[in-house]
Amino acid sequence: MGKAIVDLPVQRPNREDDPVGFLSVNDVAVFFGLPFLGFVSGLIPQSLWWGVARTISPLSMKMLPSPADHIRERARIFLGDSIGEKALQKFPHDLAANEISRLFLLLGALMPFDGRLKTPLEGQEHIDAALEKGKGVILWDSHFYFANSATKMALQRAGYKTHHLSHARHGFSDTWIGMKLLNPLWVASEFKFLAERVVIAYDNPAPAMKTLGARLDQNQVVSVTVRDSAKHPVEVPFLGGHLRVAPGAPVMAKRHGAALVPVFTIRQADGTYVTRAEAPIDLPEDLDTRIAVKSAVEQYAQRLEPVVRAYPDQWVDWLSL
């Protein structure tokens, strides 16, 4: 199948897909900052991106949607004694640095010489085993900073044609100007490594899920990012609090008999972005869908915990807790 963007029609008024304004200060900062970041990402090796990002992170603290003290408090509640006071104090700056590092990767992936970027894939055997069963596979991509570009790049390089669930406001901004001028750059960086981008409307996800369900019936690879963006997210215990997860991926897996494979993409100390596919989550056919979905989210949360503890600053969802 050739590349395609499936922008499905909205059947009811969809306010969540509408721009939240005409232009923002963040839009202006991104517009002027991207050329500099693109120049730096092309000039210096991938192994140095984090160091540069950490150096200039104080300039980008306003990129974070939550105040630094709030972020520290959430980290203290969720991580407890596993994060030391020193690490806790610099935690918001590390998040801001990862915001910048993500842009380095996104812009580097957009360039013609993206082959220099190191994005290995581990656990390919789990994807292949699922495809051998003939019912497709859903890659449940965890919401870490570098999943946007690195996961898709790793899968494409491994020979997979990925059909990814996305949203109209995906990218740098949710303003009118940002969505028109800035977000297409972000989308282009990811779409370069996809077979298909299926755009969902939050008020009516059925058309998008139907499209992805058809791909699963064709034994294709579908990618869904783990988010809480749903009218009725599933809430389960997680670390020192709770995790809310949209149920669409496990519902779709249960309905089509597809494998639900958790995926974690993490930046390593040498700057390499490693994507790891794990064994599928158990979704027994004889369980009621609601019970099976709750169990799937619980299993996912248990797998997510050690990764967040090991790489807390790379998990994006601190910013929405």
Side-chain angles (χ1 to χ4, degrees):
M1 178 181 294
K3 286 194 173 187
I5 297 180
V6 182
D7 195 351
L8 296 159
V10 179
Q11 298 179 357
R12 299 192 300 275
N14 188 11
R15 299 305 178 190
E16 290 197 48
D17 292 340
D18 290 341
V20 298
F22 183 75
L23 181 70
S24 71
V25 174
N26 184 67
D27 293 339
V28 176
V30 170
F31 181 81
F32 286 103
L34 283 181
F36 167 74
L37 294 176
F39 174 76
V40 172
S41 69
L43 183 66
I44 66 175
Q46 178 180 343
S47 59
L48 299 180
W49 285 354
W50 166 252
V52 173
R54 190 63 180 82
T55 300
I56 64 177
S57 64
L59 302 177
S60 61
M61 289 297 291
K62 291 186 178 179
M63 294 174 65
L64 301 179
S66 300
D69 288 342
H70 174 78
I71 293 172
R72 291 189 186 98
E73 181 61 24
R74 302 310 294 169
R76 183 181 287 109
I77 291 172
F78 275 75
L79 293 174
D81 295 336
S82 66
I83 183 169
E85 189 61 30
K86 183 177 180 181
L88 189 65
Q89 289 307 309
K90 68 185 186 72
F91 191 60
H93 290 278
D94 289 344
L95 292 176
N98 277 321
E99 291 276 2
I100 298 170
S101 295
R102 171 164 60 177
L103 297 182
F104 283 151
L105 175 61
L106 185 148
L107 295 169
L110 193 58
M111 295 177 184
F113 45 93
D114 61 79
R116 71 190 181 100
L117 303 181
K118 299 176 181 178
T119 58
L121 174 64
E122 298 179 352
Q124 186 172 344
E125 66 274 12
H126 299 304
I127 302 174
D128 292 342
L131 291 174
E132 286 177 5
K133 296 180 179 179
K135 295 186 176 182
V137 56
I138 300 174
L139 303 179
W140 216 8
D141 199 9
S142 303
H143 200 203
F144 287 82
Y145 272 105
F146 307 107
N148 294 101
S149 297
T151 301
K152 299 169 182 63
M153 195 182 303
L155 291 167
Q156 192 255 11
R157 289 173 170 178
Y160 299 107
K161 295 181 179 180
T162 307
H163 306 263
H164 181 66
L165 181 66
S166 188
H167 183 255
R169 284 165 63 172
H170 179 63
F172 296 101
S173 173
D174 52 12
T175 68
W176 190 88
I177 288 291
M179 289 173 65
K180 293 291 185 182
L181 300 182
L182 297 176
N183 289 2
L185 287 174
W186 189 305
V187 171
S189 177
E190 298 180 359
F191 189 49
K192 182 179 179 180
F193 305 100
L194 294 174
E196 182 179 38
R197 177 178 181 242
V198 179
V199 183
I200 192 172
Y202 283 156
D203 75 320
N204 183 26
M209 304 310 277
K210 181 178 180 180
T211 297
L212 293 178
R215 302 296 175 263
L216 293 174
D217 292 342
Q218 297 164 359
N219 197 30
Q220 300 293 321
V221 175
V222 165
S223 171
V224 178
T225 303
V226 181
R227 300 294 300 274
D228 64 353
S229 303
K231 288 186 177 180
H232 304 288
V234 177
E235 186 172 289
V236 297
F238 178 71
L239 296 173
H242 291 83
L243 179 71
R244 292 182 297 276
V245 174
V251 168
M252 189 163 49
K254 183 78 164 58
R255 182 173 298 159
H256 293 270
L260 183 61
V261 175
V263 174
F264 302 94
T265 296
I266 300 295
R267 174 183 49 78
Q268 305 299 309
D270 64 354
T272 300
Y273 302 100
V274 176
T275 294
R276 186 180 80 251
E278 294 198 345
I281 285 175
D282 187 29
L283 278 166
E285 294 182 4
D286 57 346
L287 275 185
D288 175 78
T289 297
R290 186 177 61 176
I291 297 173
V293 169
K294 181 68 177 291
S295 172
V297 176
E298 290 172 343
Q299 292 175 61
Y300 172 76
Q302 292 169 3
R303 299 198 197 186
L304 177 64
E305 281 195 9
V307 187
V308 171
R309 288 190 186 278
Y311 305 96
D313 63 298
Q314 295 191 44
W315 191 50
V316 183
D317 286 338
W318 293 115
L319 306 178
S320 60
L321 294 173

